[in-house]
Amino acid sequence: SAYGAWQRGFYYAVGYNEGDIVAVAHADGGQALAVGQFIDSPGQAFYQGCGPYGCYYTYYGGLSALENDGATYAHATADDGLAEAYGAVVRGRLHSQAANRGQIEAIAESDGGSAQAVGLLLQSEYGDAWLDNAEGASIISAAYGTDASASAVLFAIYGHAQVYNAGTIAALGDGERIAIDARLSSDA
């Protein structure tokens, strides 16, 4: 596994990039995972007490964001294995958002195996997510191989997904290719 940047904040997690972030992974017969930026805010649980139906917790925080003005690049290759590339992953328990004014790119290649590329994954277990892809910015994913799939933007959220795009969002390669995939969202 290769990560260009990995961060976690229980209440808030914000990643700022104005330069270049690169993650490259290779595997022979195994799994190659490359993630350019990984931003995670799972929230913080506070114990409230126990009752007849179990124990109760209150959650605070769980807000994540990406501000990308530079270039984020993930490339995974696997021979007879699984290649997974994620340009950026933004996970927040209650909310996730990304403002891209640069380039986010994920490339996965597998010779005799499977390849999955996701340019930007926005995930929120209990909330919403939004993306602002500015003019001149790009989010590109490409997957090559016998069993390949590419999603430039993938929403995996409980609530509402919102996209403002003035740039380029593209999925390339072999197999299934989806530029904006909100199939894992309850209200897209």
Side-chain angles (χ1 to χ4, degrees):
S1 297
Y3 290 84
W6 193 98
Q7 64 190 88
R8 172 175 285 161
F10 287 97
Y11 293 102
Y12 308 102
V14 181
Y16 297 96
N17 177 38
E18 294 181 355
D20 295 332
I21 297 177
V22 177
V24 178
H26 176 75
D28 289 321
Q31 179 182 5
L33 172 65
V35 181
Q37 291 189 70
F38 182 83
I39 301 165
D40 183 30
S41 182
Q44 180 68 46
F46 290 95
Y47 175 74
Q48 299 297 313
C50 293
Y53 301 105
C55 296
Y56 308 101
Y57 296 86
T58 300
Y59 282 86
Y60 297 97
L63 308 172
S64 63
L66 167 64
E67 294 284 334
N68 185 54
D69 289 297
T72 302
Y73 177 76
H75 188 184
T77 58
D79 297 327
D80 292 322
L82 173 61
E84 292 181 282
Y86 295 86
V89 175
V90 183
R91 295 175 48 184
R93 181 178 174 83
L94 297 178
H95 177 78
S96 64
Q97 68 186 49
N100 182 41
R101 293 171 293 277
Q103 294 82 38
I104 299 173
E105 186 174 309
I107 299 173
E109 300 174 277
S110 182
D111 185 15
S114 299
Q116 178 183 0
V118 176
L120 173 63
L121 170 61
L122 290 163
Q123 183 178 7
S124 179
E125 296 172 355
Y126 296 100
D128 63 346
W130 63 259
L131 165 64
D132 182 356
N133 193 48
E135 182 177 353
S138 63
I139 302 172
I140 307 293
S141 67
Y144 302 97
T146 306
D147 181 21
S149 67
S151 296
V153 176
L154 176 60
F155 285 99
I157 59 174
Y158 174 77
H160 184 73
Q162 181 174 335
V163 176
Y164 171 76
N165 180 42
T168 301
I169 298 175
L172 311 169
D174 302 327
E176 181 180 63
R177 297 174 302 277
I178 301 173
I180 301 172
D181 187 352
R183 293 179 293 176
L184 299 178
S185 303
S186 63
D187 176 27

